[in-house]
Amino acid sequence: MPELPEVETVCRGLGVRLVGRRLVRVDQRRPGLRQPFPEDMPARLTGRRVTAIRRRAKYLLMSLDDGWAVILHLGMSGRLVISDAPGAPPGRHDHVILETDDGAVVMFNDARRFGLMTLSLETGLAAHPLLAGLGPEPLAPGFTPKALSARLAGRATPIKTALLDQTVVAGLGNIYVAEALFHAGISPLRPAASVAGPPAARLVPAIRRVLKAAIAAGGSSLRDYVQTSGELGYFQHQFAVYDRAGLPCPGCHCAVAETGGIQRLTQANRSTYYCPRRQD
DNA sequence: CGGCAAACCTGCGAGC
DNA sequence: TGCTCGCAGGTTTGCC
């Protein structure tokens, strides 16, 4: 579910309610998710003031007033929902509950438990194993066609697979890779190395445009994802190819009977959607 | 090292 | 109705 636009949306929603607030209650309801929670996590968070919240790739980073930071990942099905109902009974998959000094309640809910929450010293974040190897932020100025080309050079793997690799570019997932490749007119089957150069000059702005539009729409809600307010995202209504196998390509303006419409195939065990006529 | 399949876990829709 | 199967936004591990 949550790729860069969804995590960015959640990050902004959390920032509004948490930055400057003190955590007065932390309820940890299981030992961990993808990995065990740190020893005594509730005790180490209780009483701390939140000084900043930012996003790196698909990770949320929450800085505390004692020099520590929370690293949080939503996995496939994670949600962070804020309410104003302290003491409300937790739901089946509410794993960690944070309460602030002004009555906000943040529920970390994750049915599939692929999410993650851990602690790191702020000064050690850059070198943290989860974060150290990440590639460039696609919305930052350093993400240029030249920079992307350098990371694709020499790679035989399909461009679809390469863009899912978080060390190539940070934050893309299955949805936005498909959408960006469509808008750039690049086949997901092309060897990554062949995208270096002129195609990368189309791909970089396509990635940026798709991500910005998705953030503006509050992300994409397919099954699990909601914003911190509980509202759905609505970028799924703007998908050109993702989850649209057999439907008409928005670029071709041809009958599905003639073109076959959007095609679905499997690459590296994930579904890929594309239009063979407009992407080569 | 590069690339791919499987594993992690739950829920849901489709088909029988 | 109820069962089984396949599939789902991500990441890591282990095997060629």
Side-chain angles (χ1 to χ4, degrees):
Chain A
M1 139 213 151
E3 306 180 30
L4 186 153
E6 290 76 33
V7 179
E8 179 65 26
T9 302
V10 168
C11 184
R12 293 177 186 184
L14 287 178
V16 170
R17 286 305 299 270
L18 290 191
V19 173
R21 303 318 324 176
R22 199 175 285 281
L23 303 175
V24 295
R25 196 175 74 88
V26 178
D27 185 7
Q28 176 190 306
R29 306 178 50 75
R30 57 177 303 117
L33 295 172
R34 199 173 85 209
Q35 56 175 242
F37 295 132
E39 201 63 27
D40 299 329
M41 185 168 74
R44 295 171 64 185
L45 294 181
T46 304
R48 301 275 56 81
R49 196 177 288 280
V50 177
T51 57
I53 296 180
R54 63 194 187 283
R55 179 193 58 74
R56 170 72 172 116
K58 299 170 194 170
Y59 292 93
L60 289 163
L61 307 175
M62 182 166 79
S63 301
L64 305 173
D65 63 356
D66 63 350
W68 285 81
V70 175
I71 304 175
L72 200 149
H73 195 288
L74 297 174
M76 290 275 267
S77 57
R79 303 174 170 199
L80 285 166
V81 178
I82 305 174
S83 72
D84 286 290
R92 177 152 149 66
H93 299 297
D94 291 333
H95 305 308
V96 181
I97 303 159
L98 308 175
E99 242 177 78
T100 67
D101 55 358
D102 68 343
V105 180
V106 182
M107 293 278 196
F108 184 11
N109 176 290
D110 184 7
R112 293 177 70 181
R113 307 209 298 269
F114 290 168
L116 173 153
M117 184 172 175
T118 192
L119 299 172
S120 164
L121 276 173
E122 186 79 30
T123 53
L125 274 181
H128 193 283
L130 291 169
L131 307 175
L134 292 170
E137 281 294 322
L139 296 178
F143 185 61
T144 60
K146 194 176 166 187
L148 177 60
S149 295
R151 289 176 185 261
L152 297 177
R155 300 197 54 166
T157 200
I159 185 64
K160 155 74 189 300
T161 309
L163 293 176
L164 285 177
D165 181 344
Q166 301 296 295
T167 69
V168 169
V169 53
L172 297 182
N174 212 31
I175 293 176
Y176 298 106
V177 165
E179 294 298 304
L181 285 172
F182 172 81
H183 291 293
I186 296 169
S187 166
L189 297 164
R190 278 179 69 156
S194 78
V195 175
R202 300 200 306 277
L203 183 52
V204 164
I207 289 171
R208 284 221 181 88
R209 201 166 61 244
V210 167
L211 293 178
K212 285 181 182 174
I215 291 169
S220 302
S221 289
L222 301 184
R223 290 166 190 78
D224 302 298
Y225 169 72
V226 293
Q227 305 184 39
T228 53
S229 58
E231 289 175 274
L232 300 177
Y234 51 93
F235 189 72
Q236 66 275 15
H237 302 303
Q238 295 178 57
F239 288 168
V241 292
Y242 183 82
D243 203 21
R244 291 179 54 82
L247 295 173
C249 159
C252 285
H253 307 298
C254 294
V256 173
E258 185 187 331
T259 65
I262 302 302
Q263 302 296 301
R264 174 184 183 273
L265 53 85
T266 299
Q267 293 178 285
N269 268 350
R270 321 274 319 261
S271 289
T272 292
Y273 301 89
Y274 76 116
C275 171
R277 283 172 44 118
R278 296 185 64 86
Q279 295 175 254
D280 56 30

Coordinates of all heavy atoms in Angstrom, one line a residue, chain A residues 1 73 223 242 270-271, chain C residues 7-12:
Chain A
M1 N 0.8 -1.2 0.0 CA 0.0 0.0 0.0 C 0.8 1.2 0.0 O 1.0 1.9 -1.0 CB -0.9 0.0 1.2 CG -1.0 1.4 1.9 SD -1.2 1.4 3.5 CE -0.9 2.1 4.6
H73 N 7.8 2.2 9.7 CA 7.5 1.8 8.3 C 6.1 1.2 8.3 O 5.8 0.4 9.2 CB 8.6 0.9 7.8 CG 8.6 0.7 6.3 ND1 7.6 -0.1 5.7 CD2 9.4 1.1 5.4 CE1 7.9 -0.1 4.4 NE2 9.0 0.6 4.2
R223 N -7.0 -0.9 -0.6 CA -7.6 -1.7 0.5 C -7.5 -1.1 1.8 O -8.5 -0.8 2.5 CB -7.0 -3.1 0.5 CG -7.4 -4.0 -0.7 CD -6.4 -5.2 -0.8 NE -6.6 -5.8 -2.1 CZ -6.1 -5.4 -3.2 NH1 -5.4 -4.3 -3.2 NH2 -6.3 -6.0 -4.4
Y242 N -2.2 1.0 -13.6 CA -2.1 0.1 -12.5 C -3.5 -0.5 -12.2 O -4.5 0.2 -12.1 CB -1.6 0.8 -11.2 CG -1.5 -0.2 -10.1 CD1 -0.4 -1.0 -9.9 CD2 -2.6 -0.4 -9.2 CE1 -0.3 -1.9 -8.9 CE2 -2.5 -1.3 -8.1 CZ -1.4 -2.1 -8.0 OH -1.3 -3.0 -7.0
R270 N 6.0 -9.7 -8.9 CA 5.0 -8.7 -8.7 C 4.3 -8.4 -10.0 O 4.9 -8.5 -11.1 CB 5.7 -7.4 -8.3 CG 6.8 -7.5 -7.3 CD 6.4 -7.5 -5.9 NE 5.4 -6.6 -5.4 CZ 5.6 -5.5 -4.8 NH1 6.8 -5.0 -4.7 NH2 4.6 -4.8 -4.4
S271 N 3.0 -8.0 -9.9 CA 2.3 -7.6 -11.1 C 2.8 -6.3 -11.8 O 3.1 -5.4 -11.1 CB 0.8 -7.4 -10.8 OG 0.2 -8.7 -10.5
Chain C
dC7 P -2.3 -15.4 -8.7 OP1 -2.4 -15.3 -10.2 OP2 -1.2 -16.0 -8.0 O5' -2.5 -13.9 -8.2 C5' -3.8 -13.2 -8.3 C4' -3.9 -12.2 -7.1 O4' -4.2 -12.9 -5.9 C3' -2.5 -11.5 -6.9 O3' -2.6 -10.2 -7.3 C2' -2.4 -11.6 -5.3 C1' -3.7 -12.2 -4.8 N1 -3.5 -13.0 -3.7 C2 -4.1 -12.7 -2.5 O2 -4.9 -11.7 -2.5 N3 -4.0 -13.5 -1.4 C4 -3.2 -14.6 -1.5 N4 -3.0 -15.3 -0.4 C5 -2.5 -14.9 -2.7 C6 -2.7 -14.1 -3.7
dA8 P -1.2 -9.3 -7.3 OP1 -1.2 -8.4 -8.5 OP2 -0.1 -10.2 -7.1 O5' -1.4 -8.4 -6.0 C5' -2.4 -7.5 -5.9 C4' -2.5 -6.9 -4.5 O4' -3.1 -7.8 -3.6 C3' -1.1 -6.6 -4.0 O3' -0.7 -5.3 -4.3 C2' -1.3 -6.7 -2.5 C1' -2.5 -7.7 -2.3 N9 -2.0 -9.0 -1.9 C8 -1.3 -9.9 -2.6 N7 -1.0 -11.0 -1.9 C5 -1.7 -10.8 -0.7 C6 -1.8 -11.6 0.5 N6 -1.3 -12.8 0.6 N1 -2.6 -11.1 1.5 C2 -3.1 -9.9 1.4 N3 -3.1 -9.0 0.3 C4 -2.3 -9.6 -0.7
dG9 P 0.6 -5.1 -5.2 OP1 0.2 -4.9 -6.6 OP2 1.6 -6.1 -4.8 O5' 1.2 -3.7 -4.8 C5' 0.5 -2.7 -4.2 C4' 1.4 -1.5 -3.7 O4' 0.6 -0.7 -2.9 C3' 2.5 -2.0 -2.7 O3' 3.5 -0.9 -2.7 C2' 1.8 -2.1 -1.4 C1' 0.7 -1.1 -1.6 N9 -0.6 -1.8 -1.3 C8 -0.9 -3.1 -1.2 N7 -2.2 -3.4 -0.9 C5 -2.7 -2.1 -0.8 C6 -4.1 -1.8 -0.5 O6 -5.0 -2.5 -0.3 N1 -4.2 -0.4 -0.5 C2 -3.2 0.5 -0.7 N2 -3.6 1.8 -0.7 N3 -2.0 0.2 -1.0 C4 -1.8 -1.1 -1.0
dG10 P 4.9 -1.4 -2.6 OP1 5.8 -0.3 -2.6 OP2 5.1 -2.4 -3.7 O5' 5.1 -2.2 -1.2 C5' 5.0 -1.5 0.0 C4' 6.1 -1.9 0.9 O4' 5.9 -3.3 1.3 C3' 7.5 -1.8 0.3 O3' 8.4 -1.3 1.3 C2' 7.8 -3.3 0.0 C1' 7.0 -4.0 1.0 N9 6.5 -5.3 0.5 C8 5.9 -5.5 -0.7 N7 5.5 -6.8 -0.8 C5 6.0 -7.4 0.4 C6 5.9 -8.8 0.8 O6 5.4 -9.7 0.1 N1 6.5 -9.0 2.0 C2 7.1 -8.0 2.8 N2 7.6 -8.4 3.9 N3 7.2 -6.8 2.4 C4 6.6 -6.5 1.2
dT11 P 9.9 -1.0 1.0 OP1 10.2 0.2 1.8 OP2 10.1 -0.9 -0.4 O5' 10.7 -2.2 1.6 C5' 10.6 -2.4 3.0 C4' 11.2 -3.8 3.3 O4' 10.4 -4.8 2.7 C3' 12.6 -4.0 2.9 O3' 13.4 -4.2 4.1 C2' 12.6 -5.3 2.0 C1' 11.3 -5.9 2.4 N1 10.6 -6.7 1.4 C2 10.4 -8.0 1.6 O2 10.6 -8.6 2.7 N3 9.7 -8.7 0.6 C4 9.4 -8.2 -0.6 O4 8.8 -8.9 -1.4 C5 9.7 -6.8 -0.8 C7 9.4 -6.2 -2.1 C6 10.3 -6.1 0.2
dT12 P 15.0 -4.4 4.1 OP1 15.4 -3.7 5.3 OP2 15.5 -4.1 2.8 O5' 15.1 -6.0 4.4 C5' 14.3 -6.6 5.4 C4' 14.5 -8.1 5.4 O4' 13.8 -8.6 4.3 C3' 16.0 -8.5 5.1 O3' 16.3 -9.6 6.0 C2' 16.0 -9.0 3.7 C1' 14.6 -9.5 3.5 N1 14.0 -9.5 2.1 C2 13.3 -10.6 1.7 O2 13.1 -11.6 2.3 N3 12.9 -10.5 0.4 C4 13.0 -9.4 -0.4 O4 12.5 -9.4 -1.6 C5 13.7 -8.3 0.1 C7 14.0 -7.0 -0.7 C6 14.2 -8.4 1.4

